[in-house]
């Protein structure tokens, strides 16, 4: 990817550089090269409406260039208040300040005040503004961010200018890129310290190679680098997802930046709650195990549950995907105890008939089409509700070619995933006689080297093509049902 820095006048930049363009040159003549998808760093003195900086971002969008900041970012500079967690970290430092107004300068998400580094990173990731100033003001109810505005390079101190040049040159690179430079940049969110990652190093290595063949440069992004999202074109979540988790924040932030995401925040919401998924599937006619919703008020009807659903029974807390927060009751006493335990944590529980089977099917789907197939031989659930360390560590997995999957299993899986629209999903099913029932749908399913991909030779190529298609179709409407 070729990267250029745009300024209003050559003197606005502290040093001579081949990557430097004036706004006039860019607006009138475009870029000197056309290889790959160029990136523009817009450092004009002002980004106000109808100014030179505004038009640079406007034409960058029209020309298909990756621009920092994007047009939408500079069109709405109304400061959004940072999350409470970030505010709490600042309270001690803010309480020591004698002034009621503080100005914070953020240069590519970095600032010279170490105490405010988290705030600077947050607003860079949110707004994409390389040079910005935040105004914090103390009011009757505490501190708040009152103003957010872009900074001119001319307004920077010598140390701030040095920081600006350092970060810009890091984005520009060495300048040795050939015409075959990647057209797009993809971030893969992975926590290197989390053993529950959805893909291992081998799978990621294979995907990065397949992405490169599609003109996509993929880079591993840790959870601490959310402020770097504006530097990329698209995002793939490869950490275990949950609502309220950092993965959910990454997905939402990327969507605010109009970046294609696999999987979206909507997919995380839909798949992370078993009650939502159950209601959606039943309404759509997708077969599921016989299920009853139990509330705290209806807790006492243990006999009715056993009579209606039989034994053994699965007790599930709705907000817990991928096989966690469930337990099995083999008799009335265990069921009563599990209901008490579960209802102490959740206002609702799902109680399901347990369908005996040697294994479950896991069918991976990408944009509505089967991607891979596995048999998962799970151990018997325990009789206490607890969060397992990781379901994969408790299963024996056997990969099969899609051609070996019974047609009724594929049909049920296809009907189920159709209700969620496009995305990457894992559909868990269990055969029951001549039929098949849905157990769960997982967003962001596990894909590990020589496990899920063993019998799916084109898995990574299909994933890379899916990202490429999303990038080329940005701005067009796509199915989004949840």
């Amino acid at each position: 990817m070729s990267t250029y820095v745009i300024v209003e006048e050559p003197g606005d930049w502290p040093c001579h550089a081949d990557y430097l363009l004036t706004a006039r040159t860019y607006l009138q003549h475009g870029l000197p090269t056309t290889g790959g998808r160029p990136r523009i760093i817009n450092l004009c003195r002002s980004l106000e409406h109808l100014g030179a900086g505004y038009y640079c971002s406007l034409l960058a969008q029209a020309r298909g260039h990756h621009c920092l900041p994007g047009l939408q970012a500079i069109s709405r500079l109304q400061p959004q208040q940072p999350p409470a967690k970030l505010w709490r970290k600042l309270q001690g430092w803010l309480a020591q300040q004698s002034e009621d107004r503080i100005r914070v300068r953020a240069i590519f998400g970095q600032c010279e005040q170490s105490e405010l580094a988290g705030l600077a990173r947050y607003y860079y990731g949110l707004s994409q503004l390389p040079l910005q100033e935040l105004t914090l003001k103390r009011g009757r109810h505490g501190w708040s961010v009152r103003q957010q505005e872009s900074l001119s390079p001319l307004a920077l101190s010598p140390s701030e200018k040095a920081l600006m040049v350092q970060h810009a040159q890091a984005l520009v690179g060495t300048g040795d890129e050939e015409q075959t430079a990647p057209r797009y940049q993809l971030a893969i969110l992975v926590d290197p310290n989390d053993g529950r990652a959805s893909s291992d190093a081998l799978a990621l290595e294979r995907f990065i190679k397949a992405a490169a063949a599609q003109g996509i440069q993929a880079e591993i992004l840790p959870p601490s680098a959310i402020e770097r999202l504006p530097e990329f074109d698209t995002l793939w979540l490869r950490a275990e997802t949950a609502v309220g988790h950092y993965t959910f924040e990454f997905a939402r932030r990327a969507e605010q930046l109009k970046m294609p995401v696999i999987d979206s925040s909507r997919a995380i919401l839909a798949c992370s709650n078993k009650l939502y998924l159950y209601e959606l599937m039943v309404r759509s006619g997708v077969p599921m195990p016989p299920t009853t919703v139990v509330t705290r008020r209806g807790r006492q009807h243990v006999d009715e549950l056993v009579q209606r659903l039989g034994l053994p029974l699965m007790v599930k807390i709705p907000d817990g995907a991928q096989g966690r927060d469930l337990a099995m009751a083999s008799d009335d006493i265990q069921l009563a105890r599990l209901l008490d335990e579960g209802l102490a944590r959740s206002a609702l529980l799902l109680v399901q008939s347990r369908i005996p089977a040697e294994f479950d099917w896991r069918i991976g789907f990408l944009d509505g089409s089967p991607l891979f197939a596995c048999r998962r031989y799970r151990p018997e659930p325990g009789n206490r509700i607890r969060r397992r360390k990781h379901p994969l560590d408790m299963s024996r997995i056997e990969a099969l070619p899609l051609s070996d999957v019974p047609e009724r299993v594929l049909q049920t899986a296809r009907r189920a995933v159709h209700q969620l629209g496009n995305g990457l999903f894992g559909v868990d099913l269990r055969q029951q006689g001549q039929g098949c029932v849905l157990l769960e749908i997982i967003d962001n399913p596990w894909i590990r080297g020589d496990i899920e991909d063993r019998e799916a030779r084109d898995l990574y190529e299909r994933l890379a093509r899916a990202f490429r298609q999303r990038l080329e179709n940005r701005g067009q409407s796509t199915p989004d049902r949840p």
Side-chain angles (χ1 to χ4, degrees), residues 275-439:
L275 179 59
Y276 175 93
L277 201 63
Y278 172 74
E279 293 289 339
L280 179 65
M281 294 301 146
V282 169
R283 187 185 66 189
S284 306
V286 177
M288 295 193 72
T291 303
T292 295
V293 178
V294 178
T295 65
R296 288 167 180 163
R297 180 169 295 183
R299 144 71 185 87
Q300 62 272 22
H301 304 301
V302 173
D303 294 340
E304 291 183 15
L305 289 173
V306 173
Q307 185 176 2
R308 185 185 314 153
L309 302 176
L311 287 169
L313 290 173
M314 307 302 300
V315 179
K316 302 181 179 182
I317 292 180
D319 191 15
Q322 305 201 40
R324 287 178 302 282
D325 285 335
L326 65 84
M328 183 174 69
S330 300
D331 54 43
D332 296 29
I333 297 175
Q334 284 184 352
L335 179 59
R337 180 175 53 78
L338 288 174
L339 292 178
D340 288 339
E341 181 183 341
L343 290 170
R345 294 169 51 187
S346 173
L348 298 174
L349 295 176
L350 294 183
V351 179
Q352 287 184 337
S353 297
R354 184 180 184 278
I355 299 171
E358 182 184 1
F359 61 85
D360 295 336
W361 288 100
R362 163 66 63 85
I363 311 297
F365 272 80
L366 177 62
D367 295 340
S369 297
L371 183 65
F372 64 83
C374 296
R375 287 174 177 164
R376 305 178 67 217
Y377 296 83
R378 298 189 182 188
E380 286 287 339
N383 58 9
R384 293 192 62 83
I385 297 178
R386 66 183 189 276
R387 292 185 178 272
R388 297 176 179 172
K389 292 182 179 179
H390 196 294
L392 269 181
D393 298 332
M394 306 178 71
S395 305
R396 180 170 68 86
I397 299 175
E398 176 189 4
L400 289 91
L402 285 165
S403 57
D404 289 355
V405 180
E407 184 58 30
R408 63 180 177 275
V409 173
L410 283 177
Q411 287 179 352
T412 304
R414 190 177 285 109
R415 286 176 58 195
V417 82
H418 176 74
Q419 309 307 318
L420 299 180
N422 286 341
L424 176 63
F425 298 100
V427 185
D428 289 354
L429 310 105
R430 184 169 293 179
Q431 289 180 260
Q432 182 184 27
Q434 297 300 313
C436 183
V437 296
L438 173 71
L439 299 178

Side-chain angles (χ1 to χ4, degrees), residues 57-323:
S57 288
L58 178 72
L59 287 193
Q61 179 171 308
R63 291 167 176 170
H65 299 165
H66 184 163
C67 186
L68 293 177
L71 182 62
Q72 289 187 331
I74 66 177
S75 297
R76 58 169 195 274
L77 282 181
Q78 297 297 325
Q80 175 180 319
Q81 296 306 310
K85 182 179 180 181
L86 182 53
W87 268 134
R88 286 195 293 270
K89 291 182 178 180
L90 294 173
Q91 289 310 306
W93 184 84
L94 290 171
Q96 300 174 8
Q97 306 307 306
S98 57
E99 299 180 355
D100 292 333
R101 188 184 298 267
I102 300 174
R103 298 188 185 276
V104 182
R105 289 187 167 185
I107 315 299
F108 288 91
Q110 305 294 316
C111 70
E112 295 181 333
Q113 298 156 288
S114 59
E115 297 86 356
L116 300 173
L119 196 70
R121 289 194 300 269
Y122 174 80
Y123 278 98
Y124 175 52
L126 192 67
S127 68
Q128 312 175 59
L129 286 174
L131 310 179
Q132 60 181 302
E133 184 175 78
L134 305 168
T135 301
L136 280 62
K137 187 175 181 180
R138 188 188 342 237
R140 183 186 307 173
H141 302 292
W143 287 90
S144 63
V145 178
R146 292 295 180 88
Q147 192 173 18
Q148 179 186 20
E149 55 187 350
S150 64
L151 276 174
S152 165
L154 299 177
L156 302 182
S157 67
S159 60
E160 290 170 337
K161 287 181 180 179
L163 191 60
M164 172 184 68
V165 173
Q166 174 189 341
H167 281 274
Q169 289 179 340
L171 290 175
V172 170
T174 62
D176 296 333
E177 293 84 356
E178 302 177 358
Q179 292 299 313
T180 57
R183 180 173 175 81
Y184 300 110
Q185 304 288 318
L186 182 150
I188 306 175
L189 178 60
V190 175
D191 184 351
N193 300 317
D194 188 353
R196 297 173 296 178
S198 301
S199 287
D200 60 3
L202 179 57
L204 294 176
E205 178 185 342
R206 290 172 175 173
F207 172 75
I208 290 172
K209 182 178 179 180
Q214 293 293 324
I216 302 173
Q217 180 175 318
E219 178 182 340
I220 303 295
L221 196 67
S224 60
I226 193 170
E227 76 281 355
R228 290 193 56 207
L229 268 183
E231 300 172 15
F232 297 88
D233 299 296
T234 185
L235 172 67
W236 189 23
L237 304 179
R238 286 287 83 193
E240 189 176 11
T241 58
V243 177
H245 193 240
Y246 72 84
T247 50
F248 191 69
E249 176 63 22
F250 264 81
R252 293 184 63 184
R253 188 75 62 82
E255 289 160 356
Q256 291 172 353
L257 298 175
K258 306 300 180 184
M259 294 168 56
V261 186
I262 295 182
D263 260 322
S264 67
S265 61
R266 282 180 166 270
I268 298 172
L269 278 167
C271 293
S272 64
N273 192 283
K274 300 180 182 72
L275 179 59
Y276 175 93
L277 201 63
Y278 172 74
E279 293 289 339
L280 179 65
M281 294 301 146
V282 169
R283 187 185 66 189
S284 306
V286 177
M288 295 193 72
T291 303
T292 295
V293 178
V294 178
T295 65
R296 288 167 180 163
R297 180 169 295 183
R299 144 71 185 87
Q300 62 272 22
H301 304 301
V302 173
D303 294 340
E304 291 183 15
L305 289 173
V306 173
Q307 185 176 2
R308 185 185 314 153
L309 302 176
L311 287 169
L313 290 173
M314 307 302 300
V315 179
K316 302 181 179 182
I317 292 180
D319 191 15
Q322 305 201 40

